[in-house]
Amino acid sequence: MKNSRQQAIIQRLATCDWLTTDALADALAVSKETIRRDLKALQEQGKIVRHHGRARAIHPDRQDGGEPFGARLKSHYADKADIARLALDWVSEGMTLALDASSTCFHLAKQLPDIALTVFTNSLPICQEMARRERVTLICSGGTLERKYRCYVNPMLVTQLKSLEIDLFIFSCEGVDEQGIMWDPSPDNARFKTQLLSRASQSLLLIDKSKFRRSSEVKIGHLSQVTQLISDAELVRR
């Protein structure tokens, strides 16, 4: 019964972008609690992603199923702000930072002091925030603006990075699975993170507890490549 019900959930999710827990419970004539358990199990199997009472199927061939930046910014707002605050301990004057286009890094950007820093980013909102800091040297990756994620996509990123010495790369991701693999829904954002991970002297992963035991469409790398993880989960500072 459970296996057939979970298969039915996968089939329904395959035909649409997102379905709510309520809609799935009504369609399959079971309780919302039963659906939540099924969705939890399917997420741990790497078949779906859950977000606040909704779920979507993972489509490796589609590779663009992530939520828009605006929606991510509202998700776990307080937790992300607290995680970003902890990351400030890693930032000191004179550093060159690289920040990805995640909503958690945007929370960090809003809290960064106006000190002598160089900030490199592919995020439009972070660029706009850093433009208000008179002592921060801002370097934007440039390229084509991807409006859904509010980030720039630059095919010349590898060449651009050759002239930069990154002291600390700070980023987030869609999820980390049980094997420690980090995932993202967007190939362009995943590529940015993979390249910065290999270039930066140190790296800092900011991730809220909802993203553990979760996968997505595109691999970024392994937790072993990360210098430090900061989270609101128990495994903070591994």
Side-chain angles (χ1 to χ4, degrees):
M1 176 69 77
K2 180 173 72 173
N3 288 342
S4 61
R5 187 176 61 245
Q6 291 181 2
Q7 186 58 38
I9 290 172
I10 291 294
Q11 290 172 352
R12 288 179 180 276
L13 291 177
T15 62
C16 57
D17 289 335
W18 293 89
L19 280 176
T20 65
T21 303
D22 289 348
L24 287 167
D26 289 344
L28 300 177
V30 295
S31 69
K32 287 186 285 186
E33 210 42 58
T34 297
I35 291 296
R36 290 191 187 100
R37 287 195 296 269
D38 285 337
L39 293 178
K40 182 175 185 292
L42 289 169
Q43 178 164 285
E44 291 177 359
Q45 295 167 30
K47 296 179 179 178
I48 70 161
V49 174
R50 296 185 297 162
H51 282 289
H52 291 296
R54 301 185 301 153
R56 70 172 178 87
I58 291 176
H59 300 288
D61 54 337
R62 186 185 301 174
Q63 298 191 350
D64 191 20
E67 288 199 305
F69 178 82
R72 288 185 286 117
L73 191 60
K74 298 174 184 177
S75 173
H76 296 272
Y77 187 97
D79 294 333
K80 291 176 180 178
D82 289 343
I83 291 167
R85 193 170 299 113
L86 290 173
L88 290 174
D89 291 342
W90 284 71
V91 177
S92 57
E93 194 159 1
M95 293 181 72
T96 296
L97 307 178
L99 305 180
D100 78 342
S102 64
S103 57
T104 308
C105 272
F106 178 65
H107 283 288
L108 172 64
K110 288 174 70 68
Q111 298 178 50
L112 277 177
D114 190 5
I115 59 176
L117 293 170
T118 297
V119 174
F120 173 74
T121 186
N122 64 333
S123 165
L124 174 60
I126 292 177
C127 283
Q128 293 170 331
E129 186 66 33
M130 289 299 95
R132 300 187 178 99
R133 310 291 198 278
E134 293 186 359
R135 299 184 64 195
V136 171
T137 299
L138 172 63
I139 304 175
C140 177
S141 68
T144 302
L145 178 63
E146 172 54 72
R147 285 180 172 80
K148 178 178 180 180
Y149 300 115
R150 298 189 70 185
C151 69
Y152 293 101
V153 178
N154 187 349
M156 302 302 292
L157 181 63
V158 173
T159 302
Q160 188 179 28
L161 288 175
K162 287 179 180 178
S163 62
L164 288 174
E165 294 293 332
I166 307 295
D167 297 308
L168 180 64
F169 173 43
I170 308 178
F171 71 108
S172 189
C173 63
E174 175 80 355
V176 177
D177 67 21
E178 291 183 332
Q179 286 71 49
I181 302 295
M182 300 177 290
W183 295 87
D184 226 51
S186 161
D188 293 317
N189 276 324
R191 194 175 303 115
F192 179 89
K193 296 172 190 185
T194 298
Q195 292 178 6
L196 266 297
L197 267 176
S198 66
R199 289 282 307 178
S201 299
Q202 292 187 302
S203 54
L204 199 58
L205 174 62
L206 313 182
I207 181 170
D208 68 78
K209 59 180 176 291
S210 72
K211 295 181 177 179
F212 290 106
R213 292 188 167 186
R214 177 191 289 184
S215 58
S216 192
E217 281 80 1
V218 191
K219 291 181 181 180
I220 297 169
H222 193 272
L223 277 181
S224 60
Q225 298 172 259
V226 176
T227 306
Q228 181 68 54
L229 180 152
I230 295 181
S231 175
D232 55 344
E234 291 299 321
L235 49 154
V236 176
R237 289 188 167 85
R238 56 181 178 82

Coordinates of all heavy atoms in Angstrom, one line a residue, residues 17-57:
D17 N 4.6 21.3 -11.8 CA 5.8 21.8 -11.1 C 5.7 21.6 -9.6 O 6.7 21.1 -9.0 CB 5.9 23.3 -11.4 CG 6.3 23.6 -12.8 OD1 6.9 22.8 -13.4 OD2 6.0 24.7 -13.3
W18 N 4.6 21.9 -9.0 CA 4.5 21.7 -7.5 C 3.1 21.3 -7.2 O 2.1 21.6 -7.9 CB 4.7 23.1 -6.8 CG 6.1 23.6 -6.9 CD1 6.6 24.4 -7.9 CD2 7.2 23.4 -6.0 NE1 7.9 24.7 -7.6 CE2 8.3 24.1 -6.5 CE3 7.3 22.6 -4.8 CZ2 9.5 24.1 -5.9 CZ3 8.5 22.6 -4.2 CH2 9.6 23.4 -4.7
L19 N 3.0 20.5 -6.1 CA 1.7 20.1 -5.5 C 1.7 20.3 -4.0 O 2.8 20.0 -3.4 CB 1.3 18.7 -5.8 CG 0.7 18.4 -7.2 CD1 0.5 16.9 -7.4 CD2 -0.6 19.2 -7.4
T20 N 0.6 20.8 -3.4 CA 0.6 20.9 -2.0 C 0.3 19.6 -1.3 O -0.3 18.7 -1.9 CB -0.4 22.0 -1.6 OG1 -1.7 21.5 -1.9 CG2 -0.2 23.3 -2.3
T21 N 0.7 19.6 0.0 CA 0.3 18.4 0.8 C -1.2 18.2 0.9 O -1.7 17.1 0.8 CB 0.9 18.6 2.3 OG1 2.3 18.9 2.2 CG2 0.6 17.4 3.1
D22 N -1.9 19.3 1.0 CA -3.4 19.2 1.0 C -3.9 18.6 -0.3 O -4.8 17.7 -0.2 CB -4.0 20.6 1.2 CG -3.8 21.1 2.6 OD1 -3.4 20.3 3.5 OD2 -4.0 22.3 2.8
A23 N -3.4 19.0 -1.4 CA -3.9 18.5 -2.7 C -3.6 17.0 -2.9 O -4.4 16.3 -3.3 CB -3.3 19.3 -3.8
L24 N -2.4 16.6 -2.4 CA -2.1 15.2 -2.5 C -2.9 14.3 -1.6 O -3.3 13.2 -2.0 CB -0.6 15.0 -2.2 CG 0.4 15.5 -3.3 CD1 1.8 15.5 -2.8 CD2 0.4 14.6 -4.5
A25 N -3.2 14.8 -0.4 CA -4.0 14.1 0.6 C -5.4 13.9 0.0 O -6.0 12.8 0.1 CB -4.0 14.8 1.9
D26 N -6.0 15.0 -0.6 CA -7.3 14.9 -1.2 C -7.3 13.9 -2.3 O -8.3 13.1 -2.5 CB -7.8 16.3 -1.6 CG -8.1 17.2 -0.4 OD1 -8.2 16.7 0.7 OD2 -8.1 18.4 -0.7
A27 N -6.3 14.0 -3.2 CA -6.3 13.2 -4.4 C -6.2 11.7 -4.1 O -6.7 10.8 -4.8 CB -5.2 13.6 -5.3
L28 N -5.4 11.4 -3.0 CA -5.2 10.0 -2.7 C -6.0 9.5 -1.5 O -5.9 8.3 -1.1 CB -3.7 9.8 -2.3 CG -2.7 10.1 -3.5 CD1 -1.3 10.0 -3.0 CD2 -3.0 9.2 -4.7
A29 N -6.9 10.4 -1.0 CA -7.8 10.0 0.0 C -7.2 9.4 1.3 O -7.6 8.4 1.8 CB -8.9 9.0 -0.5
V30 N -6.1 10.1 1.7 CA -5.4 9.8 2.9 C -5.2 11.0 3.8 O -5.4 12.1 3.3 CB -4.0 9.1 2.7 CG1 -4.3 7.7 2.0 CG2 -3.1 10.0 1.9
S31 N -4.7 10.9 5.0 CA -4.5 12.0 5.8 C -3.3 12.8 5.4 O -2.4 12.3 4.8 CB -4.3 11.6 7.3 OG -3.1 10.9 7.5
K32 N -3.2 14.1 5.8 CA -2.1 14.9 5.5 C -0.8 14.4 6.2 O 0.3 14.5 5.7 CB -2.4 16.4 5.9 CG -3.3 17.1 5.0 CD -3.5 18.6 5.4 CE -4.3 18.8 6.6 NZ -4.5 20.2 6.9
E33 N -1.0 13.8 7.4 CA 0.1 13.2 8.1 C 0.7 12.1 7.3 O 1.9 11.9 7.3 CB -0.4 12.8 9.5 CG 0.7 12.8 10.6 CD 1.6 14.1 10.6 OE1 1.0 15.2 10.7 OE2 2.8 13.9 10.5
T34 N -0.1 11.3 6.7 CA 0.4 10.1 5.9 C 1.2 10.7 4.7 O 2.2 10.2 4.4 CB -0.8 9.3 5.4 OG1 -1.5 8.7 6.5 CG2 -0.3 8.2 4.5
I35 N 0.6 11.7 4.1 CA 1.3 12.3 2.9 C 2.7 12.9 3.4 O 3.7 12.7 2.7 CB 0.5 13.4 2.3 CG1 -0.7 12.8 1.6 CG2 1.3 14.2 1.2 CD1 -0.4 11.8 0.4
R36 N 2.7 13.5 4.5 CA 4.0 14.1 5.0 C 5.0 13.0 5.2 O 6.2 13.2 4.9 CB 3.7 14.9 6.3 CG 3.0 16.2 6.1 CD 3.0 17.0 7.4 NE 2.1 18.2 7.3 CZ 0.9 18.2 7.8 NH1 0.4 17.2 8.5 NH2 0.1 19.3 7.7
R37 N 4.6 11.9 5.8 CA 5.6 10.8 6.0 C 6.0 10.3 4.6 O 7.2 10.0 4.4 CB 4.9 9.7 6.8 CG 4.7 10.0 8.2 CD 4.4 8.7 9.1 NE 3.2 8.2 8.7 CZ 2.0 8.4 9.3 NH1 2.0 9.3 10.2 NH2 0.9 7.8 8.9
D38 N 5.1 10.1 3.7 CA 5.5 9.7 2.3 C 6.5 10.6 1.7 O 7.5 10.2 1.1 CB 4.3 9.5 1.4 CG 3.5 8.3 1.8 OD1 4.0 7.4 2.4 OD2 2.2 8.3 1.5
L39 N 6.2 11.9 1.8 CA 7.1 12.9 1.1 C 8.4 13.0 1.8 O 9.5 13.1 1.1 CB 6.4 14.3 1.2 CG 5.1 14.5 0.4 CD1 4.6 15.9 0.6 CD2 5.4 14.3 -1.1
K40 N 8.5 12.8 3.1 CA 9.8 12.7 3.8 C 10.6 11.6 3.3 O 11.8 11.7 3.0 CB 9.5 12.6 5.3 CG 10.8 12.6 6.2 CD 10.5 12.6 7.6 CE 11.7 12.7 8.5 NZ 12.5 11.5 8.4
A41 N 9.9 10.4 3.2 CA 10.6 9.2 2.7 C 11.1 9.4 1.2 O 12.3 9.0 0.9 CB 9.7 8.0 2.8
L42 N 10.3 10.0 0.4 CA 10.7 10.2 -1.0 C 11.8 11.2 -1.1 O 12.7 11.1 -2.0 CB 9.4 10.6 -1.8 CG 8.4 9.6 -2.0 CD1 7.1 10.2 -2.6 CD2 8.9 8.5 -3.0
Q43 N 11.8 12.2 -0.3 CA 12.9 13.2 -0.3 C 14.2 12.5 0.1 O 15.2 12.8 -0.5 CB 12.6 14.4 0.6 CG 13.7 15.4 0.7 CD 13.3 16.7 1.3 OE1 12.6 17.5 0.6 NE2 13.7 17.0 2.5
E44 N 14.2 11.7 1.1 CA 15.4 11.0 1.6 C 15.9 10.0 0.5 O 17.1 9.7 0.5 CB 15.1 10.3 2.9 CG 14.9 11.3 4.1 CD 14.6 10.6 5.4 OE1 14.5 9.3 5.4 OE2 14.4 11.3 6.4
Q45 N 15.0 9.6 -0.4 CA 15.4 8.7 -1.5 C 15.9 9.5 -2.7 O 16.3 8.9 -3.7 CB 14.2 7.8 -1.9 CG 13.7 6.9 -0.9 CD 12.4 6.3 -1.3 OE1 12.0 6.1 -2.5 NE2 11.6 5.9 -0.3
G46 N 15.9 10.8 -2.6 CA 16.4 11.7 -3.6 C 15.4 11.8 -4.8 O 15.9 12.1 -5.9
K47 N 14.1 11.6 -4.6 CA 13.2 11.6 -5.7 C 12.4 12.9 -5.7 O 11.8 13.3 -6.8 CB 12.2 10.4 -5.6 CG 12.9 9.1 -5.7 CD 11.9 7.9 -5.6 CE 12.6 6.6 -5.8 NZ 11.6 5.5 -5.6
I48 N 12.2 13.6 -4.6 CA 11.5 14.9 -4.6 C 12.2 15.9 -3.7 O 13.1 15.6 -3.0 CB 10.0 14.6 -4.0 CG1 10.1 14.3 -2.5 CG2 9.3 13.6 -4.8 CD1 8.8 14.6 -1.8
V49 N 11.7 17.1 -3.8 CA 12.1 18.2 -2.9 C 10.9 18.8 -2.3 O 9.9 19.0 -3.0 CB 12.9 19.3 -3.7 CG1 13.2 20.5 -2.8 CG2 14.2 18.8 -4.3
R50 N 10.9 19.1 -1.0 CA 9.8 19.7 -0.3 C 10.1 21.1 0.1 O 11.3 21.4 0.5 CB 9.5 18.9 1.0 CG 9.0 17.5 0.8 CD 8.6 16.8 2.1 NE 9.7 16.7 3.0 CZ 9.6 16.6 4.3 NH1 8.4 16.5 4.9 NH2 10.7 16.4 5.1
H51 N 9.1 22.0 0.1 CA 9.2 23.4 0.5 C 7.9 23.8 1.1 O 6.9 23.9 0.4 CB 9.5 24.3 -0.7 CG 10.9 24.3 -1.1 ND1 11.9 24.9 -0.4 CD2 11.5 23.9 -2.3 CE1 13.1 24.7 -1.1 NE2 12.8 24.1 -2.2
H52 N 7.9 24.0 2.4 CA 6.7 24.6 3.1 C 5.4 24.1 2.6 O 4.6 24.8 2.1 CB 6.8 26.1 3.0 CG 7.9 26.7 3.8 ND1 8.0 26.6 5.2 CD2 9.0 27.4 3.4 CE1 9.1 27.3 5.6 NE2 9.7 27.7 4.5
G53 N 5.1 22.8 2.9 CA 3.8 22.3 2.5 C 3.6 22.0 1.0 O 2.5 21.7 0.6
R54 N 4.7 22.0 0.3 CA 4.6 21.7 -1.2 C 5.7 20.7 -1.5 O 6.7 20.6 -0.8 CB 4.8 23.0 -2.0 CG 3.8 24.1 -1.8 CD 3.9 25.2 -2.8 NE 5.3 25.8 -2.7 CZ 5.9 26.4 -3.6 NH1 5.3 26.5 -4.8 NH2 7.1 26.9 -3.5
A55 N 5.6 20.1 -2.7 CA 6.6 19.2 -3.1 C 6.7 19.2 -4.6 O 5.7 19.6 -5.3 CB 6.3 17.8 -2.7
R56 N 7.9 19.0 -5.2 CA 8.1 18.8 -6.6 C 9.0 17.6 -6.8 O 9.8 17.2 -6.0 CB 8.7 20.1 -7.2 CG 10.2 20.3 -6.8 CD 10.8 21.4 -7.6 NE 12.2 21.7 -7.2 CZ 13.3 21.0 -7.7 NH1 13.1 20.1 -8.6 NH2 14.5 21.3 -7.3
A57 N 8.8 17.0 -8.0 CA 9.7 15.9 -8.4 C 11.0 16.4 -8.9 O 11.2 17.6 -9.4 CB 9.0 15.1 -9.5

